[in-house]
């Protein structure tokens, strides 16, 4: 039987993890990409090269969008497109921390149809398809609903700027994890109540995690409450709000309708 898209992504993610772990805590070469884009390492490029060769050999008619590849506009005409972050959380990876991931997704049209987020240092693999459950190492996920007051929200410090909030800023409990893809999965898993980004979010950071969160029972939108489209020309979402339904509505109401996302954060 032919390998499904999800099976292909899972196999690719584990192979990516094997490559990354050869560099992790082994002083890989790294440099800054410039223009505020953050660091990149030889491990990012090695993982990206392997994934591009492997995945496009298996699905040569699919488009390709990756943080570490030159963008090919022909992807916009493809029915299906890989959306890949070879190492999400490069700063954590270079610091020898476990909280980095490989984020692999397939967009069918402008929606994500298959997704995997793999954390090789922790042995965790999150996965989902558009028609199936969200799972962690094969076990189903479900989020944890909570009112906005006291909610545990994964977000960066700039999100607490009073300029983003209507009236009084809610008393959320801010926490942080280095990989944005993992943050979305942690909300899907119910370990945190929501994740929020008031910065624009690159598609490769959120494509896989957004489907995993949605299939677990969360709502995933941009800051204005709009459904996020993928494989777009900009490859950017206008911020991010991921939470179970009640909390998602409360966050959108508290944020107000008039705030545009700022530029994307470096990873």
């Amino acid at each position: 039987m032919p390998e499904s898209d999800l099976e292909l992504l899972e196999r690719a993610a584990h192979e990516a993890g094997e490559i990354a772990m050869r560099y992790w805590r082994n002083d890989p070469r790294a440099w800054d990409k410039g223009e505020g884009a953050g660091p990149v390492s030889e491990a990012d490029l090695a993982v990206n090269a392997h994934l591009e060769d492997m995945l496009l050999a298996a699905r040569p008619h699919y488009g390709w969008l990756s943080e570490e590849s030159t963008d090919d506009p022909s992807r916009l005409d493809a029915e299906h497109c890989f959306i890949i972050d070879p190492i999400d959380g490069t700063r954590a990876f270079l610091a020898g921390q476990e909280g980095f991931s490989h984020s692999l997704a397939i967009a069918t049209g402008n929606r994500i149809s298959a997704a995997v987020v793999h954390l090789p240092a922790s042995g965790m693999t999150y996965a989902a398809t558009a028609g199936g459950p969200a799972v962690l190492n094969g076990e189903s996920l479900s989020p944890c609903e909570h009112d906005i007051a006291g909610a545990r929200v994964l977000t960066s410090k700039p999100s607490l700027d009073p300029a983003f909030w209507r009236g009084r800023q809610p008393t959320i409990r801010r926490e942080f994890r280095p990989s944005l893809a993992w943050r979305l999965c942690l909300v899907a898993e119910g370990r945190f109540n929501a994740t929020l980004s008031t910065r624009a979010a690159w598609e490769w950071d959120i494509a896989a995690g957004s489907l995993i969160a949605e299939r677990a029972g969360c709502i995933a939108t941009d800051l204005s409450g709009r459904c996020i489209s993928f494989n777009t020309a900009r490859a950017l979402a206008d911020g991010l709000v991921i939470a179970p339904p009640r909390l998602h509505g409360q966050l959108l109401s508290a944020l107000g309708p008039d705030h545009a996302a700022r530029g994307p954060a470096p990873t």
Side-chain angles (χ1 to χ4, degrees):
M1 180 179 296
E3 188 176 34
S4 71
D5 279 352
L6 183 62
E7 290 169 336
L8 174 63
L9 292 184
E10 289 177 325
R11 180 164 63 88
H14 282 88
E15 291 187 12
E18 291 173 2
I19 295 170
M21 294 303 286
R22 293 200 288 267
Y23 292 92
W24 187 57
R25 297 180 176 176
N26 199 27
D27 196 25
R29 290 185 298 113
W31 54 96
D32 193 271
K33 290 190 280 190
E35 299 182 354
V40 65
S41 75
E42 59 181 325
D44 295 80
L45 301 185
V47 170
N48 188 66
H50 178 79
L51 290 176
E52 187 168 5
D53 288 347
M54 173 190 175
L55 292 173
L56 291 181
R59 302 286 192 274
H61 58 293
Y62 282 23
W64 180 262
L65 174 63
S66 168
E67 180 175 11
E68 308 304 345
S69 297
T70 301
D71 192 15
D72 181 356
S74 67
R75 66 178 171 81
L76 300 173
D77 298 321
E79 181 181 0
H80 307 281
C81 183
F82 291 109
I83 303 180
I84 306 294
D85 193 341
I87 298 180
D88 184 37
T90 297
R91 293 182 190 276
F93 176 83
L94 293 173
Q97 300 170 7
E98 294 185 357
F100 67 92
S101 71
H102 308 295
S103 177
L104 289 69
I106 293 172
T108 299
N110 64 2
R111 300 291 292 159
I112 303 303
S113 55
V116 172
V117 175
H118 177 53
L119 284 81
S122 304
M124 298 189 297
T125 305
Y126 300 85
T129 61
V135 298
L136 167 58
N137 294 348
E139 299 294 324
S140 295
L141 302 176
S142 59
C144 181
E145 186 67 271
H146 200 286
D147 286 325
I148 193 169
R152 299 177 67 202
V153 179
L154 288 163
T155 191
S156 58
K157 288 182 180 178
S159 296
L160 300 184
D161 187 330
F164 285 109
W165 300 91
R166 186 205 308 269
R168 186 175 181 179
Q169 182 182 319
T171 55
I172 62 174
R173 297 164 55 193
R174 187 191 75 85
E175 300 193 44
F176 187 75
R177 295 294 184 275
S179 163
L180 180 51
W182 186 31
R183 286 179 236 163
L184 274 61
C185 294
L186 287 167
V187 176
E189 191 181 352
R191 291 171 61 184
F192 294 86
N193 303 121
T195 190
L196 169 70
S197 176
T198 54
R199 291 182 177 272
W202 291 110
E203 289 186 21
W204 46 74
D205 288 327
I206 64 172
S210 67
L211 178 66
I212 292 164
E214 286 182 333
R215 297 308 301 168
C218 294
I219 297 177
T221 70
D222 66 15
L223 282 181
S224 298
R226 293 185 296 259
C227 179
I228 300 169
S229 292
F230 291 94
N231 194 26
T232 65
R234 291 175 65 231
L236 280 169
D238 292 324
L240 187 67
V241 183
I242 306 281
R246 185 176 75 244
L247 178 54
H248 185 274
Q250 291 176 356
L251 285 167
L252 285 182
S253 295
L255 284 163
D258 301 323
H259 301 305
R262 296 175 182 172
T267 58

